[in-house]
Amino acid sequence: MGKLFGTDGIRGKANSYPMTPEIAMRVGKAVARRFGGNHPKSRIVIGRDTRISGQMIESALVSGILSMGIDVFLAGIIPTPAVAFLAARDASIVAGIMVSASHNPYYDNGIKIFQGSGLKLTDLDELELESHILSGNDANGNVSIRKIGVALPLVSADEAYIEFLLNSLPKGFSLEGLKIVMDCSNGATCRVAPDVFSRLGAEVDTISNHPDGRNINDGCGSEHPQSLAARVMDNRADIGLAFDGDGDRLIAVDESGCILTGDQVLAICASFYQKHGTLEGNRVVSTVMSNMGLSLALKELGIDHITTRVGDRQVMSGMLKCNAVLGGEDSGHMIFRQHHTTGDGILTALKLIEVMKTESRKLSSLRGVMTVFPQELIGVNVDRKPDLNSLPDVQRVIGEVEQQLDDRGRVLVRYSGTQPVCRVMVEGPSQEETRMCCRKIADQVEKTLGK
């Protein structure tokens, strides 16, 4: 058995290693052992998205946790950031687990783990858990029949999370007169997201909100916002909001049908926070995948820009180290540390619309704060992941492209932390040159490592 944890928890094809019931049960036991705590009756909260395999993985996790004498709160279908919130609000909840593969297709699934603080695991936490899971020595750790845990439905989960989201806005905040088109990706936001914006008085048109276990992220949501953009224009809406399958990402569409990147949303919010004196430390954190345009926009605003490894877990870690209140990823993960401990698509949408309402400006006007450099991203399927620096042919081609672009662009080649994929990203002065440069590197990666 190989390494389990990737960029964001454990992920793979459902019912195949490592996403099997057997491994999930070991994960449950390991999490219970690691975070059991000293509370008289410790609990772990579990949520899931709409994938057909969700109940299978959830049931196995529950069995493992209960065998260790820890109770489980079942939150049902709910966004990932709701699990983080639920874990942090109750001192008796020592950990939170989300069963989801985020933006991946339905046949994948994953396990995301939160500490009782609502923060994702540290690297050390992951190493310790992985050691317990892979050792397979937990059978002797089961408690006696008199002490096994029980699983209880957390019937107030949706309402508690909705109240948390509403309380993130200024008192009396209203969306009366605002027309919103919302794409819920047939995922975990289907119930919660439309309810939140409707309660605030917006006129909400919701698409991709009829999950059947297999249509999550299928041509919809944050990975495929084109249908949303068309709907925004057809309905003459003020904004379009696209969430991913587990609700921790947002991709926005302005009233003209233009699709904004996560970096653009981050730049808009950073500018607003700075203007209103709430950008603590005058700094913003993003990852190495951020567009060059974000760095230039922040530089023009006089805002310090700190970069981290990929993943909202790494962004949050960077924010804590430098005491930043705002951070995010180009993919749409956004962290507002004054309000939450992790990326939250619905919260991001609310804060973005708060900027629009406060400034009395359309989103098409606000996005002018940042110019997006042409970017091309190609994922190459690979059958192994050796150190990229050990591949002379790949390094030669990367060097040729970097020399060609000079200071007019940049190259980033990295392995996916959740899939057997090598991602090649190139930014450059024109779309055509950028595409050609990216294809050149991707072809060499495929020749060297392709399946």
Side-chain angles (χ1 to χ4, degrees):
M1 288 189 267
K3 187 175 185 292
L4 294 176
F5 286 91
T7 304
D8 196 5
I10 303 169
R11 195 174 299 183
K13 283 187 168 49
N15 228 17
S16 298
Y17 181 84
M19 289 310 304
T20 63
E22 293 80 7
I23 293 295
M25 186 173 72
R26 290 189 189 182
V27 172
K29 294 169 77 72
V31 171
R33 171 180 284 186
R34 175 69 179 80
F35 296 106
N38 298 316
H39 194 276
K41 195 57 180 175
S42 297
R43 300 176 175 92
I44 292 172
V45 61
I46 299 180
R48 57 186 170 88
D49 66 20
T50 57
R51 292 162 212 273
I52 193 171
S53 60
Q55 288 177 303
M56 176 185 74
I57 300 300
E58 176 190 66
S59 297
L61 285 165
V62 170
S63 294
I65 295 166
L66 300 187
S67 74
M68 302 295 285
I70 305 295
D71 287 349
V72 172
F73 277 149
L74 296 171
I77 294 172
I78 201 163
T80 291
V83 172
F85 158 72
L86 292 167
R89 74 165 185 159
D90 185 338
S92 73
I93 296 178
V94 295
I97 301 177
M98 180 68 180
V99 181
S100 174
S102 190
H103 58 283
N104 287 25
Y106 86 92
Y107 47 76
D108 289 343
N109 216 328
I111 299 171
K112 300 182 180 185
I113 304 169
F114 294 90
Q115 304 171 50
S117 62
L119 292 169
K120 288 184 176 176
L121 302 183
T122 65
D123 291 342
L124 181 59
D125 288 331
E126 289 187 350
L127 286 172
E128 289 185 10
L129 283 177
E130 198 162 87
S131 175
H132 284 307
I133 295 164
L134 298 181
S135 70
N137 294 326
D138 276 327
N140 295 331
N142 292 353
V143 299
S144 74
I145 188 65
R146 295 184 180 87
K147 295 182 180 179
I148 60 172
V150 296
L152 304 167
L154 191 58
V155 294
S156 62
D158 276 9
E159 186 59 33
Y161 178 54
I162 289 171
E163 286 300 315
F164 155 74
L165 291 167
L166 296 176
N167 288 334
S168 72
L169 296 166
K171 190 173 181 179
F173 188 81
S174 171
L175 297 181
E176 290 284 348
L178 199 73
K179 199 171 185 179
I180 298 173
V181 182
M182 183 181 302
D183 184 338
C184 293
S185 204
N186 293 312
T189 60
C190 282
R191 291 198 307 256
V192 173
D195 196 355
V196 169
F197 291 90
S198 294
R199 288 194 197 189
L200 290 166
E203 180 184 340
V204 180
D205 174 28
T206 308
I207 61 176
S208 304
N209 65 326
H210 298 288
D212 63 10
R214 295 178 173 85
N215 60 0
I216 185 171
N217 302 316
D218 187 9
C220 57
S222 62
E223 294 292 291
H224 308 279
Q226 293 77 17
S227 296
L228 173 66
R231 186 84 160 229
V232 167
M233 295 184 69
D234 289 345
N235 290 8
R236 296 183 179 179
D238 297 291
I239 189 172
L241 307 172
F243 307 109
D244 65 338
D246 71 330
D248 60 0
R249 296 187 186 195
L250 169 78
I251 293 296
V253 175
D254 72 18
E255 78 286 351
S256 70
C258 179
I259 299 168
L260 278 71
T261 67
D263 284 339
Q264 287 176 291
V265 174
L266 188 58
I268 289 168
C269 292
S271 176
F272 178 77
Y273 273 36
Q274 183 192 53
K275 177 180 177 180
H276 291 269
T278 54
L279 189 64
E280 189 172 325
N282 197 45
R283 59 180 64 94
V284 168
V285 178
S286 73
T287 77
V288 293
M289 292 293 284
S290 282
N291 190 273
M292 286 177 66
L294 177 63
S295 292
L296 291 177
L298 295 178
K299 184 177 181 180
E300 289 178 6
L301 290 166
I303 296 172
D304 293 335
H305 184 202
I306 292 90
T307 58
T308 71
R309 289 183 289 155
V310 173
D312 73 330
R313 177 172 73 100
Q314 303 300 335
V315 172
M316 185 60 177
S317 176
M319 292 171 69
L320 291 171
K321 287 177 182 176
C322 70
N323 199 31
V325 295
L326 184 63
E329 295 190 274
D330 191 45
S331 60
H333 286 125
M334 217 66 56
I335 301 176
F336 297 83
R337 195 164 69 88
Q338 296 133 316
H339 302 289
H340 212 340
T341 57
T342 191
D344 188 325
I346 302 176
L347 177 62
T348 301
L350 291 172
K351 303 315 283 185
L352 178 61
I353 293 174
E354 182 184 342
V355 177
M356 292 171 58
K357 296 285 284 185
T358 304
E359 298 291 299
S360 298
R361 292 173 63 187
K362 294 181 178 181
L363 188 54
S364 60
S365 169
L366 290 170
R367 67 177 166 85
V369 70
M370 173 185 160
T371 300
V372 180
F373 273 55
Q375 183 184 91
E376 191 75 13
L377 179 64
I378 298 176
V380 180
N381 292 325
V382 298
D383 58 8
R384 56 196 176 94
K385 294 183 177 181
D387 184 350
L388 289 168
N389 290 322
S390 70
L391 307 174
D393 289 339
V394 172
Q395 290 302 313
R396 172 180 54 77
V397 175
I398 290 174
E400 290 172 359
V401 169
E402 287 179 330
Q403 186 175 17
Q404 176 182 333
L405 293 174
D406 197 19
D407 60 356
R408 302 175 304 138
R410 69 181 183 118
V411 174
L412 181 64
V413 182
R414 55 175 286 272
Y415 294 117
S416 167
T418 58
Q419 296 172 294
V421 171
C422 181
R423 303 199 192 282
V424 180
M425 187 196 77
V426 176
E427 290 170 355
S430 71
Q431 197 66 57
E432 182 179 1
E433 184 175 2
T434 302
R435 186 178 296 115
M436 289 176 60
C437 288
C438 192
R439 185 74 265 170
K440 182 177 179 179
I441 298 173
D443 286 346
Q444 184 59 55
V445 171
E446 187 170 20
K447 182 178 178 181
T448 305
L449 299 173
K451 290 186 175 181

